[in-house]
Amino acid sequence: MLTVTVVSDFPALGMPKIQSTQPFHSTPRFYMPEARISFLVALALSLGAHAGLLALWAVKAQLPDPASAVSEPLQVSLMSAPAQQREAVSKAVRAEASRIAKLRANPVIPSPSDAEDEEHVRVTASIPPAPTSEKQLASMPAPPAPTAEEWVQASTYTLKNSKRYRYNWGQQVRSMMGTAVEGVQQGLVRFRIEIAPDGKLAKADVLWSTSEPVEKLALQAIRSMPPLPPTPTGKPLVFEKTIAFLPFETGWPPIYKYDCLPDPPSFHNAFAWNGSSPRRTSQAHQENASPSRSDTPQTECPDSVPDSIEAEEKDMERQFKEWGAARLNGGD
């Protein structure tokens, strides 16, 4: 590499003297102006476009001329059939149409042979009958009538308005009414009964009923009752009794082990007064209402006969229905 020193002196123009030292390369360098580069790029693009157009023209020249490729015209010749042939075809068509109409009007059903009939009867007999959609109605037979021993025991029981006598009388009536079936002939009927001291019926008044057939059936049973023993107290016995003629209930057997206990005191408002009766003091009412603490409260009658299992079960069911949580909380 050589070093070249360039001295520039322009005294006439009033410019200072400039001395520059630059390296000199042995390999020559060529510098191309920017205008020449743009010209070359434009030339290349023009040549490419013309070459593409030339190629499209060559491909198009190889395709056949659409004007020269004209298909030959389609020639159709129509010929009419002879009159005799047309009449024969029309007669055949009319005959077939009339035959089809006759078949539709009177269809021919082939009759089965004797063997086919026997086979059909055998298959039909082997098929079990379809189950009927009728609902099986609920029913309950009549309970047994009280025995002679039970009537003897009831004729001497005086507690709770002859409780055993009243229950036996209701069971006797229900046992004579027959089987209760679900439907319009089921229902309830309540009577007011008066029995003479000798055991004969003195009066039977219907207080209400839910079914007229049940009312008639109960009255018929009352009229045909056998002779009953005398009342326990020797006085007329008056009571009310509901007869249940239902397919799921015949009446609850009563409980007798609490009959000897005194009835709980009824509620009395000490501040209520009708204006005419003598007024009672609250202290006197409290003494009469509350029993003495020295007395030992009884829970059951000491000489009572044990109740049956059915009576105990029904009594528990009654207490649950009356005092259950669902009922106290307003449920069903």
Side-chain angles (χ1 to χ4, degrees), residues 33 126 205 209 270 286 297 303 308:
S126 64
D205 298 331
S209 67
Q286 189 173 8
D303 56 348
S308 62

Side-chain angles (χ1 to χ4, degrees), residues 317-332:
E317 182 180 352
R318 178 188 60 81
Q319 294 186 35
F320 272 112
K321 287 184 178 181
E322 184 175 357
W323 303 105
R327 182 178 179 86
L328 295 178
N329 293 335
D332 296 337

Side-chain angles (χ1 to χ4, degrees), residues 209-232:
S209 67
T210 61
S211 175
E212 186 176 355
V214 174
E215 179 181 346
K216 294 180 180 179
L217 192 61
L219 289 174
Q220 182 181 357
I222 291 173
R223 295 189 190 100
S224 57
M225 285 184 67
L228 302 180
T231 60

Side-chain angles (χ1 to χ4, degrees), residues 177 179-187 211 213-215 217 245-246:
M177 294 176 63
T179 302
V181 182
E182 179 184 5
V184 295
Q185 294 186 355
Q186 69 177 18
S211 175
V214 174
E215 179 181 346
L217 192 61
F245 192 70
L246 302 173

Side-chain angles (χ1 to χ4, degrees), residues 241-305:
K241 187 66 177 178
T242 301
I243 305 298
F245 192 70
L246 302 173
F248 53 85
E249 183 64 56
T250 59
W252 290 354
I255 295 290
Y256 301 103
K257 60 184 177 181
Y258 306 117
D259 292 349
C260 65
L261 303 180
D263 295 333
S266 59
F267 174 76
H268 176 75
N269 189 356
F271 302 97
W273 184 48
N274 58 6
S276 59
S277 61
R279 303 191 62 176
R280 300 173 58 186
T281 61
S282 60
Q283 183 177 1
H285 172 68
Q286 189 173 8
E287 290 178 357
N288 296 334
S290 59
S292 176
R293 294 185 178 181
S294 61
D295 299 338
T296 303
Q298 296 181 354
T299 57
E300 294 183 7
C301 299
D303 56 348
S304 62
V305 180

